Amino acid sequence: MREKTVLLQGAMEEECACFLKHMKEPEETVIDGWHFWSGELCGRPVVVARTFIGMVNAAVSTVLGIRHFSPGAIINQGIAGAHGLDLEIGDIVLGTRVMNGASFQSEKLDRGQGSRWEGWKPLPLEIRGEMTRDNTFLSDPGLIAAARKAAASGSFRVVEGCISSADMWNREYDRIAFSHAAYGTMAEEMEGAAVCQVAAGYKIPVLSVRAISNNERKDGAYAPETADICARFVMAVLAEYGRI
C-alpha cells in the first residue's frame, strides 16, 4: 500500500527551498495563485506548499492542499522569533501545543485606564460549529513521537513547548516574557495556529516545528537562513515517521 502523502508547509521561499532541493523530480501545481510541489522526499510521497505569510494565507493554502492532494498528515514548519530567553539562533522548537496569539478577550476598562494585556483571557475558536476549549491546539502524538526520535540523534538542539501564531511581530520584551511565563510560549510565528484549526476541521494529524531566527529579548538580530536548519530537522522527522 502506498504511504499517504505528507503536506510540508513553508510561508516563505527560504522555508521551502531545502525540501525542493532534495525532492525527486518535484512537479509544480499552482492553484488560485498558491504554489505546491509534489514529489518524493526521505522515501515517502510529499507535497511542499508555499503558504505565503499570515494566518489567512496559511488557512487558504491548507484547505487547497487538503482538497487537491488528500494528505495523511501536515507539518507546518519554518522560522520563528524566540520567547524563551535561553533560546539561541538555530534552536528547534517542537510545538507540542500551538496557540492563536490573537484570540483573547480583554477585560473591560474605562476611558483613561489604558490597556492591561496581563488580564486578557484565552478566547475559544470555532471549528465547524463547535467551540474549542481555549485558543490552543495539540500536535499529533504520532508526529510528536517521530520528532522526538529525530531529536534524539543529537544533531539538533530541540526544545518542546507552545508555539504562538498571530498576524503580528512582537518586539516588546515585557509582553514576550509574560506570554512565555503565563502560557508557556517558546516562540511566535504567523501561520501555525490557522493551519491547526483547518486541520482539526478535516481531522488530519498536524505538527508545528520552528527554528529560531531571532530573539527580541536579546539583540533581536534576524537570521532567516535558519529555515534550512528547520527543513533538515523536518526531513529527519519524516524518516522517523515512516518507521512508526
Side-chain angles (χ1 to χ4, degrees), residues 171-210:
R171 304 200 69 187
E172 298 173 339
Y173 186 107
D174 290 344
R175 183 169 179 175
I176 293 170
F178 174 80
S179 180
H180 176 61
Y183 306 113
T185 55
M186 301 299 293
E188 66 170 62
E189 38 82 3
M190 300 175 69
E191 296 85 28
V195 173
C196 289
Q197 187 170 349
V198 171
Y202 283 93
K203 295 181 170 37
I204 296 175
V206 65
L207 175 69
S208 182
V209 180
R210 288 296 188 278

Side-chain angles (χ1 to χ4, degrees), residues 104-110 113-121:
F104 285 88
Q105 179 176 328
S106 67
E107 60 182 315
K108 182 168 176 15
L109 298 175
D110 291 329
Q113 290 185 297
S115 176
R116 293 200 290 265
W117 37 261
E118 298 93 334
W120 293 0
K121 303 298 182 185

Side-chain angles (χ1 to χ4, degrees), residues 75-94:
I75 301 179
N76 180 260
Q77 61 82 51
I79 59 176
H83 278 198
L85 184 59
D86 60 341
L87 290 177
E88 301 291 343
I89 301 299
D91 287 349
I92 297 290
V93 177
L94 176 57

Side-chain angles (χ1 to χ4, degrees), residues 118-185:
E118 298 93 334
W120 293 0
K121 303 298 182 185
L123 193 64
L125 298 156
E126 187 173 15
I127 302 175
R128 300 193 179 188
E130 299 291 331
M131 301 305 294
T132 60
R133 184 189 64 175
D134 54 22
N135 61 349
T136 62
F137 302 91
L138 298 178
S139 286
D140 175 70
L143 288 165
I144 287 289
R148 286 172 175 162
K149 287 187 176 182
S153 70
S155 300
F156 305 89
R157 183 172 184 262
V158 181
V159 299
E160 297 185 15
C162 181
I163 296 176
S164 177
S165 306
D167 287 318
M168 62 177 69
W169 183 335
N170 290 310
R171 304 200 69 187
E172 298 173 339
Y173 186 107
D174 290 344
R175 183 169 179 175
I176 293 170
F178 174 80
S179 180
H180 176 61
Y183 306 113
T185 55

Side-chain angles (χ1 to χ4, degrees), residues 13-91:
E13 182 178 351
E14 297 95 321
E15 295 171 330
C16 299
C18 186
F19 296 139
L20 298 179
K21 178 181 177 181
H22 289 89
M23 282 175 68
K24 292 183 179 179
E25 300 179 351
E27 180 180 339
E28 185 176 16
T29 302
V30 181
I31 306 170
D32 295 338
W34 274 266
H35 295 255
F36 302 86
W37 293 267
S38 306
E40 187 177 300
L41 188 64
C42 301
R44 68 178 306 139
V46 301
V47 173
V48 174
R50 184 176 177 188
T51 67
F52 300 116
I53 297 170
M55 301 283 271
V56 171
N57 280 328
V60 172
S61 177
T62 303
V63 171
L64 292 174
I66 291 170
R67 295 293 298 273
H68 286 265
F69 301 101
S70 302
I74 300 171
I75 301 179
N76 180 260
Q77 61 82 51
I79 59 176
H83 278 198
L85 184 59
D86 60 341
L87 290 177
E88 301 291 343
I89 301 299
D91 287 349

